[in-house]
Amino acid sequence: MSDQPELDRSADDMVAETDTGARDPSAAWQARLIIGTCIAWSVFQLYIASRLPGVVAQATGMGIFANIVAQARFVHLAFAIMLATLAFPLFKSSPRDRVPFYDWILMALGVAACLYLVVFRFEIADRPGLWNTTDITMSAIGMTVLMISVYRSLGLPLVVVASCFILFAFFGGYSEWARNITNYGGASLSKALGHYWMQTEGVFGVALGVSTTMIFLFVLFGALLDRAGGGNWFIKVAIALLGALRGGPAKAAVLSSMMTGMISGSSIANTVTTGTFTIPLMKRIGFPAEKAGAVEVASSTNGQLTPPVMGAAAFLMVEYVNIPYIDVVKHAFLPAVISYIALLYIVHLESLKIGLKGLEKPGRRIGVLMIMILFLSGFIFLGICTFLMIGLRAVLDPFMGESVYAAVALLAVLYIALVGVAARYPDIAMDKDDDGPPTAPRLTPTLIGGAYFAIPIFVLIWNLMVRTDSLDRLSPALSALWATVFMIVIALTHRPLKAMFRSQGFGTELARGWRDFVDGLILGARNMIGIGVATGAAGIIVGTISLTGAHQVIGQVIEVISGGNLIILLVLVAVLSLILGMGLPTTANYIVVSSLMAPVIVSVGAQSGLIVPLIAVHMFVFYFGILADDTPPVGLAAYAAAAISRGDPIRTGVQGFAYDIRTALLPFLFIFNTDLLLIDVGFAKAILVFFVSLIAMLLFAAATQGYFIAKSRKWESVALLFIAFMLFRPDFFLDQVSERYATATGPAGLTLMDETADGKDIRLVVEGPDFDTGEMKPTTITVPAIADDALAALEAQGLLVREESGALLLDEPFPGTPHFESLGIGYDFYGDQPVTITTVEVENERWPKELFFIPALILLAGIVLIQRPRATQAAF
């Protein structure tokens, strides 16, 4: 393995180099400067997220304390650039034990360029767009140092992508083809640099704003929870729950990675955190090194999909799609749960194929049925607690008003009680290689021994999702602040409280709690370095799009390659996400691909007659950006897992991606079946969708693994795939036997609209000359019907229609009306060819598509009967 230097490094070293910085200065003052900067950044973020700036400003009469919140994103990037320069060596040959002189110069220049926008904010506001020489000089310095910071912390790919967009901003006007598409004639140095740096259209745009207000707090929350011992507790609970089952350590790896994925924004860090314990256990029960690493990789990369705390890109989705965070969580919930259960099933099938057993476990062994009951009872318990707390809050409201003191007091009592109970049990340590045969710890003492770690997560979920509108559901940023504050309290106090309950040394544990708190502040800031500079660099791409319309050029290229076929377009976008994701972090990958391709997917879908919700498109890009972390040959999570398992990193990545095929399938499914995203789905139907989709995904997993009840023959695997398709897309088969829409053209279309029930969606196929190319193109939109008045239904949507020569001619919709973005910008309403409504479509009353579940289940029963006699071992 000497030709694979990646394996000669420890996984922790890899995390340091890719996530937190590999420099470790020997000079104490330099090390203290890095640590102090990390602590200052974390404290600053907590300060601006709280109400303290306003309180301090009111108490002192100094408005700067309140204004700093408005300038926070400039300070945020200054911290990120400073730490990137200090913590990450510029070159492989650069010293790691000290900060060289050129880094001090770069750090000073970068910080000065950011703080220039704070110090001279009033002068800059007085000359918007009229940038002077100093403005342009500081902008050029800031952009240069930012790109260097991105290179040193994230590598070359994002620098190359951002540089291409900068070059397009300066020289794109020289291309006649690009100029014809975008009407962009090029930008001067002053205009472009001012656009990128001096205003909030470029570097300091939406992405960096979300990083400042939301992402940092969630990353800090996860770092504090991990340093306090919450991450370790998750792993222990998972092993206690699933370790004794067949292939138990691998199943525990899946469950623990799902739980720690809620608090970790990095696939690599997640791989190392849980893999350090689970990969050796998997190998000790018989998993090959590559498969042990692949299970951990597949589990860890999917951790960012897990609600309620998803990866950083999920918070950007809130801004880009313009929906509340709770809606993002709702849409992401079903695919994430199905994906993880399917991965558990894949691990189970691998264990069956290899003939593995589980870990030995003292006490009574928990069966599969009991585990399912525990899961269900956990959800039921959470629901009961939720309703009790809502009722308690309603009772206390007349006395407490908007005060939070009652809630804080209740949480404090609950916390102290749980710590007191946990103190009765010994702290459980993980098995080591020299401890003899590995064993799974008992569930009850393990679960109770750290149950108080669930309180801040409960606070976060409560504030994000449970509080009703009448009780002021909090924003994601404020929810994360409250959860982080409570996590700080736990980090500081849980060890000394345990010592007090155990009548042990209080002072020593108090010092350990303080170290946990400080380490959490440091780790949170260091984990944010890459995200901070990545969101700044991604802002360059978004700024170029707003300045030049570059997305139209790239979008048209990919649209031409796809030939207007939505499936081919989706495959191309998936491949683009995977390729970019090999070198870009998930956040930057999501920003780039969604900015470029989301409008194109929606447009091509509409031209094909499929109306794709914007959230589905963004989730599609999000999924494939995450999958890039285990895509060979550059999947860093696979290299981290291979460093632990001592297996081959390429084979680990290939096997991990094979396990993740089920995750790659889901985005294509929810583009065509939005029920999976719970869009316009009631509770009862959501339950049906969940169970049917879960069965379908498990069958897909069985088909790809070549093993169901027994080893599958090829035709049986094909049959399982066909059954899975029938369950996922029953409407496809219904469309073959029954027309989905009643259609009408011309004036008959208005008659059909008149006859449609009030509020029912009507599809209008609009055709006209493209504004840029002049070629005729179709698109599909929906409008709600108004019974007996078609013209009123159209006018309510800002659509003015007139009959002329047997056709329905459409006038240009006004800005601000619902369909201005899809029609008003895309069509030339004043050309030789008019824009017309060619077809009106109303959905027919048909059989329920769920009827096709019946033949699918009958066929499944046949496969079960055929394979059952060939089974050589028990299923569990």
Side-chain angles (χ1 to χ4, degrees), residues 127-418:
R127 53 173 188 271
L130 303 175
W131 318 121
N132 60 28
T133 304
T134 305
D135 295 338
I136 300 307
T137 302
M138 297 306 290
S139 299
I141 291 172
M143 292 279 290
T144 303
V145 177
L146 173 61
M147 298 293 270
I148 294 173
S149 299
V150 171
Y151 168 71
R152 68 201 311 158
S153 58
L154 299 172
L156 194 59
L158 182 55
V159 176
V160 172
V161 173
S163 298
C164 290
F165 279 84
I166 293 174
L167 290 174
F168 183 85
F170 285 118
F171 304 109
Y174 291 100
S175 168
E176 182 178 356
W177 172 66
R179 191 167 59 247
N180 289 338
I181 295 175
T182 62
N183 296 316
Y184 173 67
S188 64
L189 181 68
S190 174
K191 180 180 179 181
L193 287 178
H195 184 81
Y196 287 132
W197 194 263
M198 298 302 297
Q199 53 193 23
T200 56
E201 295 290 332
V203 171
F204 300 101
V206 170
L208 191 66
V210 173
S211 176
T212 305
T213 57
M214 282 191 276
I215 296 174
F216 192 105
L217 289 173
F218 282 92
V219 171
L220 179 60
F221 170 75
L224 287 165
L225 183 59
D226 180 63
R227 281 296 179 260
N232 188 42
W233 176 67
F234 285 148
I235 298 170
K236 291 177 180 178
V237 170
I239 294 178
L241 188 64
L242 301 176
L245 300 179
R246 187 188 294 274
K251 294 173 181 174
V254 175
L255 182 61
S256 59
S257 294
M258 181 184 73
M259 293 189 292
T260 56
M262 293 193 301
I263 61 173
S264 171
S266 166
S267 300
I268 303 169
N270 198 0
T271 299
V272 172
T273 301
T274 57
T276 301
F277 299 107
T278 58
I279 290 176
L281 285 177
M282 283 188 267
K283 290 179 66 179
R284 290 172 71 182
I285 67 167
F287 264 92
E290 285 77 15
K291 287 191 175 182
V295 169
E296 186 56 56
V297 168
S299 308
S300 298
T301 52
N302 281 206
Q304 295 181 68
L305 303 173
T306 309
V309 185
M310 301 162 67
F315 301 105
L316 291 164
M317 214 177 290
V318 172
E319 300 295 326
Y320 290 158
V321 186
N322 195 26
I323 60 176
Y325 184 72
I326 186 175
D327 286 348
V328 174
V329 170
K330 182 186 77 171
H331 297 317
F333 178 76
L334 214 59
V337 172
I338 291 171
S339 178
Y340 264 107
I341 294 176
L343 183 56
L344 282 171
Y345 183 59
I346 288 173
V347 167
H348 181 71
L349 293 177
E350 285 282 16
S351 303
L352 283 171
K353 288 192 289 184
I354 302 174
L356 301 181
K357 303 296 183 183
L359 299 177
E360 293 297 323
K361 183 175 182 179
R364 188 169 61 88
R365 180 172 174 172
I366 303 176
V368 176
L369 181 61
M370 187 63 186
I371 290 173
M372 294 179 63
I373 293 173
L374 283 172
F375 273 121
L376 291 175
S377 62
F379 285 116
I380 294 171
F381 177 73
L382 285 175
I384 293 173
C385 288
T386 298
F387 282 111
L388 286 176
M389 290 192 71
I390 291 174
L392 182 61
R393 173 66 187 269
V395 171
L396 292 176
D397 258 355
F399 308 101
M400 302 300 295
E402 295 300 316
S403 172
V404 297
Y405 297 132
V408 171
L410 285 171
L411 289 174
V413 170
L414 177 62
Y415 167 58
I416 294 172
L418 288 176

Side-chain angles (χ1 to χ4, degrees), residues 664-682:
L665 173 70
L666 280 169
F668 288 95
L669 291 173
F670 59 59
I671 287 288
F672 294 96
N673 183 6
T674 56
D675 287 352
L676 284 170
L677 298 180
L678 300 182
I679 296 177
D680 298 327
V681 172

Side-chain angles (χ1 to χ4, degrees), residues 18-191:
T18 57
D19 279 359
T20 60
R23 182 171 283 150
D24 185 16
S26 57
W29 71 272
Q30 292 185 6
R32 284 197 294 266
L33 177 62
I34 294 176
I35 291 172
T37 304
C38 289
I39 295 173
W41 193 11
S42 294
V43 172
F44 169 77
Q45 294 291 156
L46 289 170
Y47 172 73
I48 63 170
S50 68
R51 297 180 180 178
L52 286 176
V55 174
V56 175
Q58 191 173 16
T60 61
M62 299 175 65
I64 187 173
F65 290 105
N67 288 333
I68 195 64
V69 177
Q71 310 299 319
R73 62 182 68 181
F74 307 127
V75 181
H76 180 84
L77 186 60
F79 272 117
I81 288 176
M82 181 176 179
L83 284 173
T85 308
L86 293 176
F88 290 87
L90 182 55
F91 304 108
K92 289 185 178 180
S93 58
S94 297
R96 299 191 178 194
D97 60 345
R98 60 184 173 85
V99 181
F101 75 93
Y102 55 82
D103 279 349
W104 292 111
I105 296 172
L106 288 172
M107 182 196 74
L109 291 173
V111 171
C114 293
L115 297 186
Y116 174 80
L117 300 170
V118 178
V119 176
F120 298 99
R121 61 186 180 278
F122 297 117
E123 292 86 343
I124 293 171
D126 290 338
R127 53 173 188 271
L130 303 175
W131 318 121
N132 60 28
T133 304
T134 305
D135 295 338
I136 300 307
T137 302
M138 297 306 290
S139 299
I141 291 172
M143 292 279 290
T144 303
V145 177
L146 173 61
M147 298 293 270
I148 294 173
S149 299
V150 171
Y151 168 71
R152 68 201 311 158
S153 58
L154 299 172
L156 194 59
L158 182 55
V159 176
V160 172
V161 173
S163 298
C164 290
F165 279 84
I166 293 174
L167 290 174
F168 183 85
F170 285 118
F171 304 109
Y174 291 100
S175 168
E176 182 178 356
W177 172 66
R179 191 167 59 247
N180 289 338
I181 295 175
T182 62
N183 296 316
Y184 173 67
S188 64
L189 181 68
S190 174
K191 180 180 179 181

